[in-house]
Amino acid sequence: MILAPSILSADFARLGEAVQAVERGGADIVHVDVMDGHFVPNLTIGPDVVKALRRSTPLPLDVHLMIEHADRWLDAYVDAGASWVSVHVEAVPHLHRAISHLRSRGVQPGVALNPATPLSTLEEILPELHHVLLMSVNPGFGGQKFIPAALDKIGRLKAMIHDRGLSTKIEVDGGVGAGNGKALLQAGAEVLVAGNAVFAGGDPEQGVRDLRSACS
Ligand code: DX5
Ligand code: ZN
C-alpha cells in the first residue's frame, strides 16, 4: 500500500510544515493537486509551489494535473521536481505523446479518469503507464463523498491489468478514508490518496498513522 496524502486539504499558508508532518507520520508520497479553473472549477497551485515543496521534503511528489492543455505544462512540472505525473484522458488529445514524453524525462507517467470516463479509454495506452488514477469523486475539491461505483471500477481495471500481464498501479483519489481504505485495497488499489481523512482532524502526522492502521 502506498499512502499519498493530498495537500489540497492542508493549510496553504503552511505547506512546508504540512508535508513534513505527513512525512513523520509515514506517508510514502505526497499528492499535489494542480487545478486551472477551466478543466475543473477550482484554481490551486503551479510549478513554483511544486518547486518549493521539492525543497521541503525528500518524499516523491505525485502531481495530479487537472488542467487543460496539460501537454504544454509537462516540462514545467518535471523541472519543478515532480516524481509521478498524472494527466487526465479527458484533457489530453495526444495521450501517447504526453506519456512517452514524461517517460523520456524520467518521471513515472500516469493517466487519470473522471468517474464517468470508461476504462475502455485505457485500452491502447495501458502498457505505457506506471499508474492509473481513478477518480472516485468529480475532481475540483477536497472533502467530497466517495462515489461507490468506483469500487467496481477498481476491480475491473485490476482484471484488465492482470489479464495483460502488466504491473500498472491503481491509484484511487477522492473520498478515501478509514471507512473504505481497506475495501479499496482488497478490490485492487495500491495507492490511496487522502486529503480530508489526513488533514481534517488538525494533526496530519497522526492522520496518516490512523489511516494506515485502519487499512491494515
Ligand atoms: C480532488 C483531488 C483530490 C482531493 C482528495 O479533485 O484530486 O486529490 O484532494 O481529497 P479528499 O481525500 O478530501 O476527497
Ligand atoms: Zn488528486
Side-chain angles (χ1 to χ4, degrees):
M1 166 194 178
I2 296 175
L3 193 48
S6 164
I7 54 153
L8 183 62
S9 298
D11 178 352
F12 272 26
R14 296 159 183 262
L15 282 181
E17 291 166 40
V19 291
Q20 282 151 14
V22 297
E23 188 187 318
R24 287 194 303 274
D28 301 293
I29 60 177
V30 174
H31 187 81
V32 183
D33 287 305
V34 175
M35 306 187 186
D36 66 350
H38 295 275
F39 180 66
V40 288
N42 195 5
L43 197 56
T44 55
I45 66 175
D48 286 345
V49 176
V50 174
K51 206 178 290 175
L53 289 168
R54 183 63 297 153
R55 292 193 295 264
S56 307
T57 176
L59 291 180
L61 299 177
D62 168 32
V63 175
H64 178 192
L65 296 177
M66 287 162 276
I67 61 175
E68 288 180 359
H69 306 298
D71 44 333
R72 298 179 192 170
W73 289 94
L74 299 178
D75 283 323
Y77 287 96
V78 175
D79 292 342
S83 316
W84 298 16
V85 175
S86 307
V87 296
H88 269 263
V89 67
E90 305 87 357
V92 178
H94 302 291
L95 203 51
H96 188 276
R97 181 184 289 149
I99 296 299
S100 308
H101 185 66
L102 287 169
R103 235 181 232 294
S104 77
R105 292 290 323 267
V107 302
Q108 303 287 22
V111 162
L113 262 57
N114 282 336
T117 303
L119 294 177
S120 56
T121 55
L122 296 172
E123 201 68 42
E124 310 299 329
I125 199 72
L126 194 59
E128 315 295 332
L129 305 179
H130 167 262
H131 62 277
V132 174
L133 190 163
L134 290 182
M135 289 303 310
S136 39
V137 299
N138 287 296
F141 305 94
Q144 301 182 80
K145 207 168 159 305
F146 180 83
I147 297 171
L151 196 59
D152 182 66
K153 199 174 185 182
I154 294 168
R156 284 182 286 121
L157 176 55
K158 183 71 185 172
M160 204 169 152
I161 291 167
H162 181 262
D163 289 350
R164 293 168 176 226
L166 300 171
S167 56
T168 323
K169 296 181 196 308
I170 302 178
E171 177 171 16
V172 189
D173 185 6
V176 175
N180 59 10
K182 206 170 185 172
L184 299 172
L185 295 172
Q186 279 164 356
E190 189 176 343
V191 188
L192 299 184
V193 177
N196 211 50
V198 166
F199 287 97
D203 182 352
E205 180 178 342
Q206 192 57 38
V208 173
R209 289 204 193 97
D210 290 347
L211 182 56
R212 194 181 291 280
S213 66
C215 292
S216 59

